[in-house]
Amino acid sequence: MFGSPTPILRSFDERRTMRFYVDFLGFEVEFEHRFEPGMPLYLGLRKDDCRLHLSEHYGDAAPGARVRVPVDDVKAYAASLREKQFENARPGEPELMDWGSWEITVHDPSSNRLTFYTEAH
């Protein structure tokens, strides 16, 4: 039996990464790991059943990755994100895609793209 994958995304700036994922998107920190003080951060995040890992380590991931995240109501989630008036991350209204889902895409500070979607019924 397979479990859910946990994407590893590249990050470069701990402060900006935390602000984006925790303050803006609403994730919680599950863990922070460094091999020793001053070393790159490896970060575990969670929001409901969605888990993401972000790494400052060379070779763990490349910037510019894309992850699709299902949400119960992408329209409500997008509205809640817009209300925050967060820096330059201001998602528009979700779009109905040809493949049958409503979607928004936001870019994190390391140019990774997160597409949040709800299946249209």
Side-chain angles (χ1 to χ4, degrees):
M1 181 175 118
F2 281 55
S4 297
T6 303
I8 302 172
L9 302 174
R10 186 73 158 100
S11 63
F12 296 101
D13 182 323
E14 177 181 343
R15 185 188 65 77
R16 290 184 71 209
T17 296
M18 289 289 202
R19 283 189 32 77
F20 181 83
Y21 282 92
V22 176
D23 299 340
F24 179 54
L25 296 182
F27 280 79
E28 297 176 12
V29 175
E30 279 196 305
F31 67 85
E32 296 180 42
H33 176 267
R34 295 177 198 278
F35 286 104
E36 59 185 64
M39 294 290 289
L41 175 66
Y42 190 88
L43 176 66
L45 299 171
R46 179 181 189 156
K47 183 169 176 65
D48 303 319
D49 289 335
C50 178
R51 284 194 166 96
L52 299 174
H53 287 184
L54 287 108
S55 178
E56 294 180 346
H57 293 270
Y58 295 121
D60 275 355
R66 185 172 200 156
V67 177
R68 289 175 49 81
V69 180
V71 297
D72 288 337
D73 184 349
V74 73
K75 293 177 183 180
Y77 186 54
S80 74
L81 294 179
R82 282 192 302 277
E83 286 175 9
K84 293 180 181 182
Q85 300 284 308
F86 185 82
E87 297 174 10
N88 62 343
R90 308 270 175 92
E93 291 291 328
E95 294 181 46
L96 180 58
M97 308 310 284
D98 291 341
W99 46 89
S101 59
W102 290 95
E103 300 185 2
I104 60 165
T105 297
V106 295
H107 294 77
D108 79 1
S110 298
S111 298
N112 298 302
R113 296 168 294 167
L114 295 102
T115 297
F116 298 96
Y117 71 94
T118 301
E119 297 296 336
H121 296 116

